[in-house]
Amino acid sequence: MNLEGRTYVIMGVANKRSIAWGAARALDKMGAKLVFTILNERFRRELEKLLGELEGNHDIVVECDVQDDAQIESAFREIGEKTGGIDGLLHAIAFAGKDELQGGYSETSREGFKNALDISTYSLTVVAKHAKKIMNEGGSIVTMTYLGGERAMPNYNVMGVAKAALDASVRYLAYDLGEDGFRVNAVSAGPIRTLSSSAVGEFKSILKEIEERAPLRRNVDQLEVGNTVAFLLSDLASGITGEVVHVDSGYHIMA
């Protein structure tokens, strides 16, 4: 797949294990121009270390705290000015406090609930609001979700609720933006060792269960997920919107 001449925004690269970084690698190999958003300067230093591994020259890095409406608006205005328009966006941002990701869901704090839903779910909505203003014809938005939003899973707790709300947001945004020709989809990745997943209690047991029960008898990696993100961002997926595509070795089909 050739994506030369296309420009995509990548939100959510924390380190080399990030799913967003797998997508960046996939898109880079296909010739796309990438724009990265970061939370703050600490993440800029980490990102700059990684950019040298890519084939293309991706020099636009913009700060964007998704809990700050003014900064989101400013970030996408800057991106629009520097690129002249984008062809798509990957939203790979989620957060819940470590204390909320172990034990029982009934112990979730009010503040922890609000924080998880704000960062993990509402951020997609407000990002879409500003991204669509600079989106080229046929643009596409992809977000990252997880099976814990469809089924109850030990320790996933409030993040599962946030992912369920994110899945619903994908459908409503697909309906909302569809009349302008923009698509919105989600990729439900199997469990991968990332900065976020490390906070989930007993995460190793989840990885082991995939290896034992998934049809492919193995876990997936960042690049496999990234390739699916690239597909959904491209014109090859021009007729797909409002969907949750599972990349989890088939685990989600099992009873």
Side-chain angles (χ1 to χ4, degrees), residues 104-254:
Y105 173 62
S106 62
E107 300 301 319
T108 303
S109 68
R110 185 180 298 275
E111 190 61 31
F113 185 94
K114 288 163 60 178
N115 208 34
L117 271 288
D118 183 21
I119 298 173
S120 309
T121 306
Y122 178 69
S123 63
L124 175 66
T125 303
V126 68
V127 162
K129 174 183 177 180
H130 295 290
K132 69 181 182 181
K133 299 174 185 176
I134 62 170
M135 197 96 73
N136 296 327
E137 183 178 353
S140 173
I141 295 174
V142 176
T143 190
M144 298 305 308
T145 189
Y146 182 56
L147 187 61
E150 300 175 48
R151 303 180 189 178
M153 304 187 73
N155 299 307
Y156 204 56
N157 297 344
V158 70
M159 187 56 75
V161 176
K163 291 300 187 183
L166 183 69
D167 293 351
S169 292
V170 165
R171 293 187 286 272
Y172 277 95
L173 286 170
Y175 174 69
D176 182 18
L177 275 57
E179 63 181 359
D180 295 320
F182 302 142
R183 297 177 293 110
V184 184
N185 292 288
V187 172
S188 180
I192 294 175
R193 293 180 185 275
T194 65
L195 187 63
S196 297
S197 67
S198 64
V200 179
E202 300 181 23
F203 183 72
K204 290 182 180 179
S205 65
I206 300 174
L207 294 172
K208 184 178 179 180
E209 182 172 351
I210 301 293
E211 292 176 350
E212 293 176 349
R213 299 191 62 237
L216 293 181
R217 299 298 195 275
R218 65 174 177 84
N219 284 285
V220 296
D221 61 31
Q222 284 91 337
L223 191 56
E224 287 179 302
V225 178
N227 285 332
T228 304
V229 169
F231 163 70
L232 289 173
L233 287 173
S234 77
D235 288 344
L236 291 179
S238 61
I240 301 175
T241 194
E243 290 290 341
V244 174
V245 179
H246 295 82
V247 185
D248 62 357
S249 293
Y251 180 75
H252 71 283
I253 70 170
M254 302 301 293

Side-chain angles (χ1 to χ4, degrees), residues 57-133:
N57 179 25
H58 312 291
D59 57 355
I60 303 177
V61 179
V62 179
E63 284 192 40
C64 183
D65 181 348
V66 296
Q67 289 188 289
D68 185 331
D69 288 348
Q71 191 172 121
I72 297 169
E73 182 176 7
S74 175
F76 279 91
R77 185 186 308 114
E78 180 180 346
I79 291 169
E81 292 170 353
K82 290 183 175 180
T83 63
I86 63 174
D87 298 288
L89 174 146
L90 170 63
H91 169 276
I93 297 173
F95 177 82
K98 190 172 184 177
D99 291 344
E100 313 290 355
L101 299 177
Q102 47 193 315
Y105 173 62
S106 62
E107 300 301 319
T108 303
S109 68
R110 185 180 298 275
E111 190 61 31
F113 185 94
K114 288 163 60 178
N115 208 34
L117 271 288
D118 183 21
I119 298 173
S120 309
T121 306
Y122 178 69
S123 63
L124 175 66
T125 303
V126 68
V127 162
K129 174 183 177 180
H130 295 290
K132 69 181 182 181
K133 299 174 185 176

